[in-house]
């Protein structure tokens, strides 16, 4: 596959924008269906929750992009300027945290004491489905690319008249997210009446493991390195440890 970075479009739209909108529409549809499966009442409030989550995704992704650039500047002992913030990209982990935070705030604000585990669990299962399309957007946009690779299935990127042959890590992560979605969907359908199942924690555990190893296949340096680990790998370790703690804590509570 040959892709000229900056010039490839889908229906005249930038590829990342196209797939992000498509992924958002598909994940919202999935979210609504899962709410119906869990016998959770669907109303306009649920659409407002999705809007809250979307705002959180944009703010969180941008904020993490700024923090990544600042961390890289501090690590390399470079001066921190407004350009570091201005040139910040969108980071998935930041979007994930922002989306979850704003969604949970929305649940507490709109539903108050009417909290239903179906709201959180349905949202959690829909998250990887959105990222399936998001990583396809990265694939065609030429960002988050893989290491230099000349074997079967490599991607040819033309950037500034220079051709790069890279490993299709974006496609692999998209497949990984699809696998996580399928696993969580099956688990959700089997335990749909079990409010004790925290699908959000499950997603954090599964994704943090996959993302940690996926980082070894990436070739872009924008995410920053601190020793042998990238910024995303450090975040993955923190997310995994906290998620395991919450998972075990909840398990002990249920036994008591």
């Amino acid at each position: 596959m040959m892709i000229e970075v900056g010039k490839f479009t889908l229906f005249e739209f930038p590829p990342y924008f196209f797939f992000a909108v498509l992924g958002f529409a598909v994940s919202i549809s999935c979210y609504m269906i899962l709410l119906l499966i869990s016998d959770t009442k669907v109303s306009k409030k649920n659409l407002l929750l999705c809007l809250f989550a979307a705002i959180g995704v944009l703010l969180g992704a941008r904020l993490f992009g700024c923090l990544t650039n600042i961390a890289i500047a501090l690590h390399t002992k470079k001066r921190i300027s407004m350009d570091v913030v201005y040139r910040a990209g969108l980071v998935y982990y930041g979007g994930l945290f922002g989306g979850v935070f704003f969604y949970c705030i929305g649940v507490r604000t709109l539903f108050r004491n009417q909290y239903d585990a179906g709201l959180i669990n349905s949202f959690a299962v829909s998250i990887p489905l959105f990222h399936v399309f998001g990583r396809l957007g990265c694939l065609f946009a030429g960002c988050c690319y893989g290491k230099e690779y000349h074997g079967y299935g490599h991607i040819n990127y033309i950037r500034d008249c220079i051709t790069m042959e890279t490993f299709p890590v974006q496609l692999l992560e998209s497949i990984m997210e699809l696998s996580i979605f399928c696993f969580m969907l099956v688990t959700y359908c089997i335990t749909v009446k079990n409010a004790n199942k925290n699908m959000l924690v499950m997603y954090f555990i599964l994704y943090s493991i996959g993302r940690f190893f996926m980082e070894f296949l990436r070739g872009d340096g924008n995410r920053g390195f601190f020793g042998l680990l990238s910024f995303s790998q450090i975040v993955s370790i923190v997310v995994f440890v906290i998620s395991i703690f919450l998972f075990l804590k909840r398990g002990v509570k249920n036994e008591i």
Side-chain angles (χ1 to χ4, degrees), residues 29-237:
S29 300
C30 174
Y31 166 69
M32 293 299 178
I33 293 173
L34 293 177
L35 286 178
L36 293 174
I37 292 176
S38 65
D39 293 330
T40 302
K41 183 179 179 181
V42 178
S43 65
K44 293 180 180 178
K45 290 182 179 180
N46 299 112
L47 291 177
L48 281 176
L49 287 177
C50 293
L51 179 60
F52 287 166
I55 294 173
V57 166
L58 293 174
L59 293 177
R62 183 69 175 181
L63 176 60
F64 249 63
C66 293
L67 292 177
T68 302
N69 283 1
I70 292 173
I72 294 172
L74 290 173
H75 184 69
T76 57
K77 298 180 179 179
K78 292 182 178 179
R79 186 173 64 89
I80 299 176
S81 63
M82 286 304 298
D83 189 54
V84 170
V85 177
Y86 177 75
R87 295 174 62 109
L90 301 177
V91 177
Y92 176 69
Y93 260 130
L96 174 61
F97 298 149
V100 170
F101 178 74
F102 271 63
Y103 181 86
C104 291
I105 291 297
V107 169
R108 285 187 172 274
T109 302
L110 297 176
F111 290 87
R112 297 182 183 180
N113 297 327
Q114 303 174 38
Y115 170 79
D116 189 328
L119 288 171
I120 301 297
N121 289 338
S122 299
F123 176 69
V125 176
S126 304
I127 292 174
L129 188 58
F130 169 77
H131 203 208
V132 168
F133 292 92
R135 278 304 184 217
L136 290 178
C138 293
L139 176 69
F140 290 101
C143 62
C144 310
Y145 54 86
K147 288 182 174 293
E148 183 177 351
Y149 171 71
H150 307 288
Y152 179 77
H154 69 266
I155 305 295
N156 289 318
Y157 285 119
I158 302 176
R159 183 180 279 105
D160 299 326
C161 299
I162 298 176
T163 301
M164 302 168 50
E165 293 186 353
T166 65
F167 184 81
V169 67
Q170 309 101 315
L171 180 60
L172 184 61
E173 187 167 351
S174 182
I175 294 173
M176 179 193 78
E177 284 282 42
L178 182 60
S179 300
I180 292 176
F181 166 74
C182 291
F183 175 77
M184 291 182 64
L185 179 62
V186 171
T187 304
Y188 179 91
C189 292
I190 293 175
T191 62
V192 67
K193 299 299 182 181
N194 187 351
N196 293 323
K197 287 292 181 181
N198 194 325
M199 305 299 292
L200 191 56
V201 171
M202 179 187 291
Y203 175 70
F204 278 127
I205 292 174
L206 294 174
Y207 181 73
S208 62
I209 295 173
R211 179 62 182 270
F212 179 85
F213 291 103
M214 203 69 64
E215 284 288 301
F216 289 114
L217 299 175
R218 285 181 57 170
D220 62 310
N222 294 334
R223 62 207 189 285
F225 278 87
F226 303 88
L228 298 176
L229 300 178
S230 70
F231 184 73
S232 293
Q233 284 176 314
I234 294 174
V235 174
S236 294
I237 293 173

